[in-house]
Amino acid sequence: MYKKLLFDQKLNSDTALCEILPLLRQKNYAVEFINLDNDTQITDKDTSLFIGTDLDKNIICQKLKLDFGLATWQCNSVKHIKAKYYFRQPYDILNLLTSIEEPYKNMKWLTTAMEMQFIAQAGLAYTKDRFDHERFTRLSEMAAEIMAEYTDLPKEKVQNLFCNETGYQTPKLDTRSVIFKDDKILLVKEIDGRWSMPGGWVDVNQSICDNLIKEAREEAGLNVVPTRLVAIHDRNRHNTPLYAYGITKIFMLCEVVDGHFNPNIETSESAYFSLDNLPNLSVGKNTEEQIRLCFAAYKDKNWLPVID
């Protein structure tokens, strides 16, 4: 991944971009604004990314063999501009750099098991041949055996967790209700003592907004109205531990209508926290970076959602 970010000099006065520069520097990324031309000497091209706004700079990057990202928020049109990355707003840059690069790297056993289970599940959903049904069933069993071998989980448990769904395999949906009061974010304390934004799996009979409302009511005792989308994340690019299936996480700002917290079977406490005073987080559900993203969206009424 990149260590240096080179910005077109034209972006030096971009107010929105200036907001994330301190965050980039905090994470030890070198940041420079340059007038890129064909004679520019860049010694560490393999770890540098140039972010510009026009086709001319894109062509120069191609000649220099330098990765190019297009700042589309400052670009009139993307026509004919083939970039490695398209950034719709500055926080897209931070989102890229804080993502887990190649989350399945060096885990061939896991990707093999996942692909086997995907093929088996789709085959069982669509085949009408009884012999193929037997073959796909065996393929699913083999995927479970691989998972059990490398995770030390009983094969039966793996089959229940990993091989128990039917139909064409797609990512699961997880929603998080982003609620603010007095410039602080609402978190709920889970039974294990860690904190998260109210949320959970989207139930089969719920829409995204329905689920946001339901989870906020169940976990925080609040009646809310979803208002603005913050981000859509591929969980395995941002959260740990790594899961053996896809999860799409949806963060959405919500306004409180009324209500109050009552302890329940999922959460024991709720409280509002400032960004510099966060509690022990349930990082599988929300990280500090994701909460920081929510603060940025809360403060910006013209926020463009960050989407992986």
Side-chain angles (χ1 to χ4, degrees), residues 52-249:
T53 62
D54 56 60
L55 180 60
D56 290 342
K57 294 297 191 293
N58 175 241
I59 293 172
I60 294 172
C61 283
Q62 291 178 34
K63 292 179 180 178
L64 296 176
K65 296 183 178 179
L66 177 66
D67 284 352
F68 178 80
L70 182 66
T72 64
W73 76 91
Q74 286 282 16
C75 180
N76 292 327
S77 172
V78 300
K79 190 174 183 180
H80 303 308
I81 304 178
K82 188 174 182 180
K84 184 164 186 178
Y85 305 104
Y86 296 90
F87 300 116
R88 296 181 307 122
Q89 59 129 309
Y91 266 90
D92 279 343
I93 302 169
L94 191 64
N95 188 66
L96 168 70
L97 297 174
T98 55
S99 296
I100 299 171
E101 187 180 13
E102 299 182 62
Y104 299 104
K105 188 176 182 180
N106 300 323
M107 301 183 76
K108 182 64 176 177
W109 64 270
L110 179 56
T111 56
T112 298
M114 291 172 66
E115 185 175 359
M116 288 171 65
Q117 173 55 23
F118 168 77
I119 294 170
Q121 187 171 314
L124 289 170
Y126 296 115
T127 187
K128 297 179 181 178
D129 185 284
R130 62 187 180 90
F131 295 107
D132 281 344
H133 191 279
E134 290 180 1
R135 296 184 185 101
F136 287 125
T137 299
R138 178 57 189 143
L139 188 62
S140 180
E141 291 174 351
M142 291 169 65
E145 289 168 2
I146 293 174
M147 289 292 293
E149 177 70 22
Y150 283 89
T151 61
D152 293 327
L153 292 172
K155 179 183 173 183
E156 294 74 19
K157 186 170 184 178
V158 171
Q159 286 178 316
N160 287 334
L161 293 173
F162 182 55
C163 307
N164 203 33
E165 292 192 24
T166 59
Y168 192 85
Q169 192 177 81
T170 60
K172 294 178 177 291
L173 295 178
D174 172 273
T175 62
R176 295 290 146 184
S177 300
V178 183
I179 301 166
F180 280 90
K181 178 181 178 183
D182 298 329
D183 294 333
K184 295 181 179 180
I185 194 168
L186 177 73
L187 300 176
V188 291
K189 190 175 185 180
E190 300 175 346
I191 301 304
D192 65 3
R194 296 178 296 174
W195 295 75
S196 70
M197 288 176 268
W201 298 126
V202 177
D203 288 345
V204 68
N205 60 344
Q206 299 283 323
S207 69
I208 298 298
C209 286
D210 288 342
N211 206 68
L212 288 158
I213 293 167
K214 178 182 76 70
E215 294 291 342
R217 183 171 57 247
E218 291 178 353
E219 296 188 0
L222 300 177
N223 294 311
V224 303
V225 176
T227 56
R228 291 190 289 132
L229 180 62
V230 176
I232 300 176
H233 273 174
D234 178 337
R235 182 202 175 278
N236 283 339
R237 296 186 186 184
H238 297 273
N239 303 79
T240 56
L242 183 67
Y243 281 4
Y245 47 85
I247 298 172
T248 298
K249 295 180 66 66

